[in-house]
């Protein structure tokens, strides 16, 4: 390998430095322009980008605003708007971090109900999609961690901000999640019955009714409780539970074996 003369080496190094400077200058161009804008101008620019669905530009501008003017009213609003921008950009983890920080730092913000709604929406979209159901993917077996978080966030909107414009949609999504979570509890209870763990089965079924009252799986929960109490010799508890079953499902034998259908196929439940 032939070494370059000292003079040639210096020229070569200078060329590399100039090239890197040019590249960094190109990448830093937009940020340089943002550095000259006021907090109000930055917010208007970011909001316009958000309106135009240019989420990458909106995020970059909101981040510049909150970095340069962290204590302004525009920055406070930007911290809420950027959650939606992250969410629509598909950056779910960034959106979750941003929404949790906003709720923690601004519990009395007039639009904190929107933050809670976004919190629920982000996790809601991590639940299985419709196509997975039609393909018969056994998603009931998955621990519904994100579904629980989403349910809790929507419940906060409904209970703490009942007049919020997001309360109605949050309520509808809660029904979906309630059925999903209740069915998972029943699946676990059935697993315990197969193992003969009757105390655990009864507790899990009872928990399903207490936490997710009104879910279609309530009938299955009561049946599991009756069976478990009978196996345990709790005659009085079994009789009381059977009486509750007959009041809610008249004409349907409590000891009948149902054909198992997914909870979302409501039309196939008698």
């Amino acid at each position: 390998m032939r070494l370059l003369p000292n003079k040639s080496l210096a020229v070569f190094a200078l060329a590399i430095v100039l090239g890197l400077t040019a590249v960094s200058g190109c990448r830093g161009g937009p940020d340089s322009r943002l550095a000259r804008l006021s907090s109000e101008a930055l917010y208007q620019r970011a909001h316009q980008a958000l309106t135009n669905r240019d989420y990458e530009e909106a995020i970059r501008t909101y981040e510049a605003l909150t970095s340069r003017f962290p204590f302004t009213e525009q920055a406070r609003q930007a911290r809420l708007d950027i959650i939606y921008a992250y969410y629509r950009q598909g950056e779910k983890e960034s959106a979750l971090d941003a929404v949790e920080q906003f709720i923690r730092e601004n519990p009395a913000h007039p639009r904190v109900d929107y933050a809670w709604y976004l919190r629920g929406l982000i996790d809601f979209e991590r639940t299985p999609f419709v196509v997975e159901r039609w393909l018969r993917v056994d998603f009931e077996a998955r621990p519904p961690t994100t579904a629980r978080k989403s349910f809790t966030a929507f419940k906060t909107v409904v209970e703490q901000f009942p007049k919020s414009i997001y309360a109605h949609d949050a309520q509808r999504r809660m029904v979906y999640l309630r059925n999903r979570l209740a069915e998972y509890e029943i699946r676990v209870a059935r697993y315990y019955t197969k193992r003969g763990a009757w105390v655990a089965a009864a507790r899990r079924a009872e928990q399903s009714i207490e936490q997710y009252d009104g879910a279609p799986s309530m009938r299955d929960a009561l049946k599991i409780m009756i069976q478990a109490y009978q196996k345990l010799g709790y005659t009085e508890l079994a009789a009381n539970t059977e009486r509750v079953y007959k009041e809610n499902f008249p004409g349907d034998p409590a000891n009948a074996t149902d054909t198992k259908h997914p909870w979302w196929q409501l039309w196939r439940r008698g």
Side-chain angles (χ1 to χ4, degrees), residues 147-220:
R148 289 194 186 102
K149 292 179 180 178
S150 181
F151 184 86
T152 300
F154 286 137
K155 186 177 181 181
T156 300
V157 176
V158 172
E159 294 185 350
Q160 296 188 18
F161 310 97
K163 296 183 179 180
S164 169
I165 61 174
Y166 308 104
H168 178 67
D169 187 65
Q171 177 69 53
R172 291 173 62 246
R173 293 176 188 272
M174 280 180 67
V175 172
Y176 171 92
L177 292 168
R178 177 204 64 188
N179 297 348
R180 160 87 169 91
L181 292 165
E183 186 62 39
Y184 178 77
E185 295 298 323
I186 294 304
R187 189 180 186 93
V188 175
R190 285 199 182 98
Y191 169 77
Y192 286 135
T193 63
K194 291 178 180 179
R195 297 188 60 186
W198 300 111
V199 173
R203 286 178 178 172
R204 204 75 187 225
E206 182 179 359
Q207 179 177 308
S208 173
I209 296 174
E210 290 177 350
Q211 294 185 356
Y212 310 112
D213 184 34
S217 61
M218 177 181 175
R219 180 173 61 179
D220 296 332

Side-chain angles (χ1 to χ4, degrees), residues 3 47 86 105 177 179 219 238 243:
L3 296 178
H47 184 70
Y86 281 137
E105 296 179 353
L177 292 168
N179 297 348
R219 180 173 61 179
R243 185 161 47 252

